[in-house]
Amino acid sequence: MPSSADKPEPFDPLGIAAAMGEWCCLLKAAQELRDVDAEMMDTMLEADAAGTTPVGPEAATKVRSIANLMRSLNLDPEAIRRNEPETMRRLEAACLGCTERRRCARELWVGTDAGTYQEFCPNAAPLDHLRRLRRGSC
């Protein structure tokens, strides 16, 4: 005897709604992949080639975390990437090797990262240096 799960939906007998839902999920995944720009991917691939970290969604999340933290500190990660690409690569590489991912994510989520990053972030000193440069004092 067929179950109710085997019966087609009365308003969608061909399963088009289900197919559209799956298509939307694929489109969202493609958008997330597009959000990882070429330079960020190069950084992750370099780290992987050096054997320091795996490439994957977790690595992309960590690299996005440094950009979000920089914005919280009134630093422009895109401008730094353009003007000082090596500095940005070093920041991203340190972020990739960080062991405080959960704390970082929590601090970013609740908005306390700008006041606490110095306690746990491996990029605290370089970020402080960038902030001093931005204010005009070395």
Side-chain angles (χ1 to χ4, degrees):
M1 180 168 184
S3 70
S4 62
D6 294 335
K7 294 180 184 175
E9 289 288 323
F11 298 107
D12 187 19
L14 301 177
I16 294 172
M20 290 299 292
E22 291 175 26
W23 181 252
C24 287
C25 288
L26 289 173
L27 287 175
K28 286 178 185 177
Q31 180 63 44
E32 286 180 27
L33 290 172
R34 263 194 307 270
D35 289 343
V36 179
D37 69 12
E39 190 165 348
M40 189 182 304
M41 187 56 74
D42 288 344
T43 301
M44 291 188 294
L45 290 172
E46 287 170 13
D48 184 53
T52 57
T53 186
V55 173
E58 182 177 320
T61 300
K62 286 183 178 183
V63 173
R64 273 190 231 121
S65 295
I66 188 63
N68 290 333
L69 175 58
M70 292 172 77
R71 287 185 198 96
S72 294
L73 299 172
N74 296 316
L75 295 170
D76 183 353
E78 290 79 21
I80 293 171
R81 185 181 309 284
R82 260 190 327 274
N83 300 327
E84 302 177 54
E86 187 55 38
T87 298
M88 196 64 190
R89 276 192 283 279
R90 282 193 307 268
L91 291 169
E92 289 171 342
C95 193
L96 286 170
C98 181
T99 59
E100 295 290 331
R101 182 175 61 91
R102 287 182 186 209
R103 179 167 183 195
C104 183
R106 183 177 56 249
E107 300 288 345
L108 285 164
W109 177 258
V110 297
T112 57
D113 51 304
T116 60
Y117 74 98
Q118 293 171 326
E119 298 171 11
F120 64 89
C121 183
N123 282 314
L127 290 171
D128 289 343
H129 177 73
L130 287 169
R131 292 176 80 193
R132 284 191 300 275
L133 290 177
R134 185 176 178 273
R135 284 187 293 230
S137 61
C138 295

